[in-house]
Amino acid sequence: MRFPLVFPLLFAAQMALAAPMPAPAPQAGRTCHLPGAEEALRCVTVRVPLDYGKPGKSIAIHATVAPAFREAARGDPLFVLAGGPGQAGSDILPVVQMAMRRVRATRDIVLIDQRGTGLSGKLDCKPPAEIDSMTEEQLDADARRCIESLGAPYGSYTTDAAARDIDRVRLALGYGQVNLWGGSYGTRLAQHYARLFPANVRALVLDGVAAPDQVIPAAGRDAQAALDTTFRQCERNAACARAFPALRAEFASLAARLAKAPVSIEMADPRTAAPRTVTMSLRRFTATVHRALYSQADAHTLPFLIHSAFRDRWEPFVAQSNRDSDFVTDGAMAGPLYLAVVCAEDFPLLTPRLVAEDARGSFLGTPQVTQLAALCPVLDVQPVVHGAPARIDAPALLLSGAQDPVTPPRRAEAAARLMKAAQHLVVKNGGHIVSPLGCLPRLMREFLDAPHQRVAAQCLDEIPAPTFQLNSAGPQP
């Protein structure tokens, strides 16, 4: 008899939290200049509850408004939700410049810094200067110190709380219905918002779609498929096959070597040219390969990087490994925010069976799961209870790269089964996040102007594959 009593109470609490807020007077905001944009933008700070279930403490959420180019702007803006989790909307202004200029002609673009990222109280610590030479044990110990030193209430940094923040921003800016663009993890957040506040969503554009049942750390199967595709493409390309005839064997040899022990590399720092020691562990090696697969241009450098490392010339590989953090110190991912979300929403779903199935035959193995098992208890967050996802009625445009190593087309297809009106476009020569490619900026504008009409997407076949890098001179012309 306990269950019929408990579930209605939970449902009532959820309904109360999702009840419409009284509309405040719209905020004018302030003029601001942010990296990645030449023109002045408008910035707004919105106070929201730290815990929507407990009134009291509040935190500040930052939103950046890129006003429509035309004075007669449409009333339904495009809200941009970044990925990660851990990336801020203000971090991806260059993506807006590349992918959304056509949309911005007639609509405001609103970039939200999710709580715990960017200018919304970023959860992060400065990396140690000796990070390149640290062992995995030392790196994990440093991560634990960071988590403990911040002392944040990590249980308040969930996807659900972030979705409620979005609606507070919408109200503060005086908008009615909005459109949502989500990239990668941002697609999970966008779908959650659309289910929580369905009346407030006009249309969705989801790029690199995370399915509702997707467990973020279980990425082995999709990563291996992307790597196999890259190897096959090299084998079928005469110049690449001639330059790297033993690519698969060299990759396997490197992985086996690093599985026995990390490699200590004496080299000139790719950033400064100063001599230093770099430690290459299996975890760093596989993580670098995985990140390179996100972009097709980077994936097509992998044969050269692997071959060079196999011949003990590690400098190009280390440079690729460092590139994610070079020159973007302020825009780096908020690691503790990533852990706060994943430890509460994904890690509890990592059953031994799922871990074994996902790691079987994959170069990724289980290092990330092992790392999470060590770090998640430090955050001390309660598992999020996942209910059956409701259908999304708003029209949605789903975008996938056929060679995406983390959210391939099968993930979008799973998400589309829970949507009333979804169109799914696949870029044959695309990786993770395809909105800036080819004709997609125009197609997104056409979809948002008429979201119930089919998009003519034949132009996606014209997006070319990048060339392979064969030597230190860079990719082929």
Side-chain angles (χ1 to χ4, degrees):
M1 294 297 295
R2 293 171 59 194
F3 294 106
L5 294 174
V6 171
F7 286 142
L9 286 173
L10 290 173
F11 183 75
Q14 292 168 351
M15 290 298 289
L17 287 173
M21 294 293 301
Q27 289 191 31
R30 63 191 183 280
T31 300
C32 58
H33 291 81
L34 297 177
E38 296 179 358
E39 79 276 24
L41 303 170
R42 185 158 60 99
C43 289
V44 175
T45 301
V46 181
R47 301 297 306 188
V48 303
L50 175 63
D51 185 337
Y52 280 91
K54 298 177 183 177
K57 293 183 179 179
S58 65
I59 57 175
I61 301 299
H62 175 91
T64 305
V65 181
F69 293 129
R70 298 179 188 174
E71 292 186 8
R74 295 175 180 262
D76 51 288
L78 181 65
F79 276 35
V80 173
L81 310 179
Q87 193 175 41
S90 58
D91 293 340
I92 60 171
L93 272 169
V95 175
V96 172
Q97 301 292 82
M98 290 187 295
M100 300 176 189
R101 290 189 67 85
R102 286 179 178 264
V103 173
R104 192 180 166 193
T106 56
R107 285 182 173 83
D108 294 347
I109 307 292
V110 180
L111 301 100
I112 298 176
D113 287 11
Q114 182 178 344
R115 59 169 62 195
T117 74
L119 301 174
S120 294
K122 184 176 181 179
L123 300 176
D124 203 12
C125 299
K126 185 177 180 179
E130 65 278 12
I131 188 169
D132 283 344
S133 60
M134 292 170 67
T135 65
E136 292 180 2
E137 292 76 17
Q138 291 171 326
L139 290 169
D140 289 346
D142 184 72
R144 284 192 292 271
R145 284 193 294 270
C146 174
I147 294 166
E148 292 168 349
S149 68
L150 293 174
Y154 295 107
S156 297
Y157 290 84
T158 62
T159 298
D160 185 77
R164 298 180 193 281
D165 295 344
I166 293 169
D167 209 56
R168 293 295 182 98
V169 171
R170 180 190 66 84
L171 290 169
L173 293 174
Y175 294 119
Q177 279 195 322
V178 299
N179 306 288
L180 299 173
W181 181 95
S184 193
Y185 164 78
T187 67
R188 175 190 285 189
L189 179 54
Q191 291 173 80
H192 190 78
Y193 179 85
R195 292 186 167 101
L196 201 59
F197 301 100
N200 300 338
V201 179
R202 176 178 174 270
L204 302 97
V205 178
L206 306 179
D207 188 347
V209 186
D213 63 347
Q214 184 169 352
V215 180
I216 290 176
R221 172 185 168 186
D222 295 329
Q224 186 63 46
L227 182 64
D228 287 341
T229 298
T230 300
F231 286 166
R232 283 196 301 272
Q233 289 174 335
C234 179
E235 290 162 354
R236 294 170 183 170
N237 179 281
C240 189
R242 186 166 53 252
F244 315 114
L247 181 60
R248 292 178 188 265
E250 291 176 354
F251 180 81
S253 176
L254 282 170
R257 178 184 174 190
L258 293 171
K260 293 179 180 178
V263 174
S264 184
I265 307 161
E266 301 295 331
M267 58 182 288
D269 191 317
R271 300 185 185 100
T272 66
R276 70 177 308 171
T277 301
V278 174
T279 299
M280 181 60 63
S281 65
L282 178 63
R283 190 167 82 186
R284 181 173 181 178
F285 176 76
T286 56
T288 301
V289 172
H290 191 207
R291 287 196 302 271
L293 290 168
Y294 277 53
S295 159
Q296 280 299 283
D298 288 345
H300 283 209
T301 70
L302 277 176
F304 168 73
L305 299 179
I306 292 166
H307 181 68
S308 298
F310 178 76
R311 299 179 66 183
D312 288 324
R313 183 172 174 258
W314 281 96
E315 287 87 350
F317 193 93
V318 173
Q320 174 69 36
S321 180
N322 289 344
R323 200 184 68 177
D324 285 348
S325 57
D326 284 349
F327 310 116
V328 289
T329 302
D330 294 333
M333 297 278 286
L337 185 277
Y338 170 87
L339 290 171
V341 173
V342 171
C343 289
E345 300 177 13
D346 297 87
F347 184 70
L349 302 177
L350 282 171
T351 63
R353 180 178 178 179
L354 174 59
V355 172
E357 290 178 350
D358 184 66
R360 187 179 300 120
S362 173
F363 74 93
L364 277 187
T366 60
Q368 186 179 11
V369 175
T370 303
Q371 187 180 28
L372 289 173
L375 295 180
C376 285
V378 184
L379 280 82
D380 191 27
V381 293
Q382 294 298 312
V384 169
V385 177
H386 297 272
R391 185 182 72 168
I392 293 176
D393 288 336
L397 181 66
L398 311 185
L399 308 177
S400 297
Q403 299 171 48
D404 188 333
V406 62
T407 52
R410 71 183 184 94
R411 301 294 193 181
E413 292 163 5
R417 288 193 284 270
L418 294 168
M419 298 177 181
K420 180 181 179 181
Q423 303 182 54
H424 183 202
L425 308 183
V426 179
V427 179
K428 179 178 63 175
N429 291 316
H432 188 61
I433 305 300
V434 296
S435 291
L437 301 180
C439 59
L440 271 169
R442 172 175 60 82
L443 298 185
M444 288 192 293
R445 163 74 184 275
E446 291 177 0
F447 170 76
L448 290 173
D449 285 349
H452 291 285
Q453 294 183 14
R454 301 298 299 178
V455 173
Q458 294 86 345
C459 58
L460 297 181
D461 293 335
E462 300 171 5
I463 296 174
T467 56
F468 280 98
Q469 180 174 353
L470 303 182
N471 51 48
S472 298
Q476 290 179 280

